[in-house]
Amino acid sequence: MEAYIAALDQGTTSSRAILFNRAGEIVARAQHPFRQIYPQPGWVEHDPMEIWSTTARALAEAVDSAHIDPKRIAALGITNQRETTILWDRTTGEPVCNAIVWQCRRTAAICDQLKADGWIEAVQEKTGLLIDAYFSGTKLKWLLDNIPGARKRAEQGELCCGTVDSWLIWNLTRGAAHVTDCSNASRTMLFNIHTLQWDQELCGMLGIPLALLPQPRANSEVYGTIASGISGLEDLAGIPICGSAGDQAAALFGQGCFVPGQAKNTYGTGCFTLMNVGTSAVRSRSGLVTSVGWQLNGETTYALEGSVFNAGSAIQWLRDELGLFETSPECDRLAESVPSAGGVYVVPAFTGLGAPYWDMYARGTIVGITRGTTKAHIARAVLDAIAFQVADLVRAMNADAPCPITTLRVDGGASVSDILMQTQADLLRLLVDRPTQVETTAFGAAALAGLAVGVWENLQEVGQLRRSQHVFMPQRAEADCAADYSHWQRAVNRARAWIENEV
């Protein structure tokens, strides 16, 4: 009897559920968007109950549409938007307030103070990260300091905190499991990636009570089972929850990047380039960070990572805020209607710049506009900007890593854009390999869960499921690409440090 694996892919703008069969093929899926909350400029929040309700609804609908016996679902895997931080009541399970989203920059001043106090070296040495508002630790400190009564309740053991993986597992098990996986924990700025434990010194640095934090666990093991009595999920009670990874680690795994030196880029709300660097953490000297990729069978695999905060979100901005088109695929058609961006450069630093710049005070910029600039040029410039930002990351990665990247495996929503992928190959002078199965993030979570229960026996078996759909090769003249990249760097310099430092 064929076994199926369910994967929850809880992202920044929507919650999805996908069912895979043993061949790695999608059997069914469902997706529900949820609100983006912007209380102040640079602040981003989500309602944790919306995250949970949309996720549960997507799972119920995916299972229903598959027309299979739920008892044939062997396991559930979870992947999630990382760094987004949630605080909730340990007894009732009710969130104390909205989640602070990974994109939110409200803790920039806290980060500046930590730097001024001399914490830069300790943070990078222990966590592999740089001090930035991107990561969870300062978000949690802000919640404890600014939500009335939160710190006292936390110290008394009345509250739990976690990233979205912890929140979902807590709700799926009805509070029986308060856990996180090592890949998500490594993005908090509180986790020692060498000992794979919460670091008491760093928790003390931010005033985080250890009792708040979930138990760190491996990425492929049973954390608990779906509890009985969850509305809409009654038929799924007892299914083991046994795979978990932050979205980018899951995508690296789902792309079959099991050998050191293999790399992928995910084109989602942001862009995230990860390279497998093996069983020893490689410290970046070029503005990247080091994270846990996964812990599997007692062995830890590390990844070098560069993060771009705004990629697909820039296309959404053109659609929703500027109204240049009604659906995202129209962006490609608009961009293809002109031979180039006509000298226009868009730097989508809506929430600052990530790697390799790490500028919390940068803001979005459009340069090179003339009277002849059309909406087609701006659409083309936004797609170019996504490719330029990935080029920034790959250049930094090649400077840090012991061996250069020879092929970039790609996935995520915007990877379906042929014009973007060709631009990427031209800029990088590399092969850009798009798989047949672009849902690599969800499949990575499914694969981790499937390995835990024996649906797949080993990494080799999982890796053989990947197929290339299209490999893009460099076509444009290298000198022209280099000139464009030089102009991009000039545009970035104009966007940097736009907001005055608050400290």
Side-chain angles (χ1 to χ4, degrees):
M1 186 170 68
E2 168 129 46
Y4 298 91
I5 303 291
L8 298 179
D9 184 355
Q10 202 299 302
T12 307
T13 58
S14 69
S15 301
R16 300 190 302 160
I18 301 179
L19 261 64
F20 294 92
N21 62 19
R22 194 172 178 277
E25 299 164 335
I26 293 175
V27 175
R29 71 177 104 198
Q31 180 172 358
H32 289 287
F34 55 89
R35 288 182 303 150
Q36 306 297 302
I37 304 167
Y38 305 105
Q40 296 183 32
W43 291 31
V44 191
E45 296 180 356
H46 290 157
D47 179 345
M49 294 310 296
E50 278 191 62
I51 289 176
W52 164 238
S53 64
T54 53
T55 300
R57 197 175 352 140
L59 179 58
E61 290 178 7
V63 172
D64 185 59
S65 66
H67 303 297
I68 62 169
D69 182 349
K71 293 184 175 59
R72 294 172 66 185
I73 299 175
L76 174 70
I78 294 173
T79 184
N80 57 285
Q81 53 165 316
R82 301 172 302 169
E83 299 95 21
T84 294
T85 305
I86 303 172
L87 191 64
W88 68 92
D89 187 289
R90 186 181 293 274
T91 302
T92 68
E94 290 292 320
V96 172
C97 54
N98 280 340
I100 301 183
V101 179
W102 60 272
Q103 297 165 312
C104 187
R105 312 310 289 169
R106 76 183 66 181
T107 63
I110 297 174
C111 295
D112 287 334
Q113 192 60 59
L114 292 175
K115 293 174 186 177
D117 291 343
W119 284 100
I120 294 174
E121 175 62 27
V123 168
Q124 187 171 20
E125 167 58 31
K126 291 184 174 189
T127 71
L129 307 178
L130 305 173
I131 295 175
D132 192 84
Y134 179 23
F135 305 110
S136 309
T138 58
K139 301 180 195 300
L140 182 53
K141 173 179 170 56
W142 190 95
L143 290 172
L144 295 179
D145 289 346
N146 288 276
I147 303 301
R151 181 167 293 283
K152 183 178 180 181
R153 294 182 67 198
E155 291 169 350
Q156 292 173 344
E158 297 175 14
L159 302 181
C160 292
C161 78
T163 42
V164 172
D165 58 312
S166 299
W167 172 242
L168 293 180
I169 294 171
W170 173 277
N171 280 283
L172 286 165
T173 63
R174 289 201 152 181
H178 185 211
V179 300
T180 188
D181 68 82
C182 288
S183 70
N184 273 297
S186 72
R187 308 293 294 185
T188 60
M189 222 168 77
L190 302 170
F191 187 73
N192 189 312
I193 62 172
H194 310 289
T195 65
L196 303 182
Q197 296 293 327
W198 300 117
D199 190 274
Q200 290 194 4
E201 182 185 25
L202 297 180
C203 289
M205 169 188 79
L206 290 170
I208 309 299
L210 285 167
L212 268 178
L213 299 170
Q215 179 188 5
R217 301 279 287 273
N219 295 84
S220 181
E221 63 172 87
V222 177
Y223 312 120
T225 59
I226 297 179
S228 59
I230 299 175
S231 178
L233 304 181
E234 293 89 351
D235 292 342
L236 306 185
I239 292 175
I241 306 161
C242 50
S244 179
D247 51 11
Q248 304 315 317
L252 189 69
F253 198 85
Q255 283 275 28
C257 294
F258 304 140
V259 177
Q262 292 182 321
K264 71 89 198 174
N265 184 70
T266 296
Y267 298 82
T269 301
C271 269
F272 304 89
T273 306
L274 273 73
M275 175 195 264
N276 180 332
V277 294
T279 55
S280 298
V282 173
R283 181 165 177 173
S284 175
R285 306 291 178 183
S286 304
L288 304 176
V289 299
T290 307
S291 300
V292 174
W294 50 81
Q295 188 188 28
L296 188 64
N297 300 325
E299 184 174 88
T300 305
T301 295
Y302 293 93
L304 265 179
E305 175 172 348
S307 305
V308 166
F309 296 153
N310 290 281
S313 57
I315 297 173
Q316 292 173 331
W317 171 69
L318 293 181
R319 181 192 68 196
D320 300 340
E321 274 69 49
L322 298 192
L324 298 193
F325 40 80
E326 292 185 359
T327 64
S328 294
E330 291 178 59
C331 184
D332 275 16
R333 293 193 288 273
L334 195 57
E336 288 168 346
S337 71
V338 290
S340 72
V344 176
Y345 293 81
V346 176
V347 183
F350 305 137
T351 52
L353 287 169
Y357 307 104
W358 295 107
D359 187 341
M360 296 180 288
Y361 301 102
R363 287 297 180 267
T365 305
I366 304 178
V367 298
I369 296 173
T370 68
R371 183 63 183 82
T373 298
T374 68
K375 64 180 182 179
H377 292 114
I378 293 175
R380 182 74 179 248
V382 163
L383 294 183
D384 288 349
I386 296 171
F388 283 132
Q389 290 179 105
V390 175
D392 287 338
L393 300 183
V394 171
R395 284 177 175 233
M397 204 158 279
N398 281 336
D400 280 336
C403 56
I405 299 169
T406 55
T407 301
L408 185 68
R409 297 182 175 187
V410 298
D411 54 65
S415 70
V416 301
S417 168
D418 287 354
I419 185 174
L420 175 55
M421 294 302 98
Q422 186 59 56
T423 301
Q424 194 69 82
D426 290 338
L427 283 172
L428 294 178
R429 319 309 298 175
L430 292 176
L431 301 180
V432 171
D433 182 346
R434 183 172 64 198
T436 302
Q437 171 59 273
V438 296
E439 296 287 1
T440 54
T441 303
F443 178 68
L448 288 164
L451 286 167
V453 295
V455 171
W456 297 288
E457 293 298 324
N458 51 46
L459 293 182
Q460 182 180 8
E461 196 173 346
V462 172
Q464 287 172 345
L465 300 177
R466 188 190 187 278
R467 299 285 187 273
S468 294
Q469 181 264 334
H470 191 108
V471 177
F472 296 85
M473 303 178 68
Q475 293 180 358
R476 193 164 171 242
E478 185 171 2
D480 293 342
C481 294
D484 282 352
Y485 185 73
S486 176
H487 283 100
W488 159 256
Q489 291 178 307
R490 291 177 61 202
V492 168
N493 285 335
R494 282 155 175 76
R496 299 191 67 181
W498 183 258
I499 302 297
E500 291 188 5
N501 190 316
E502 297 175 17
V503 173

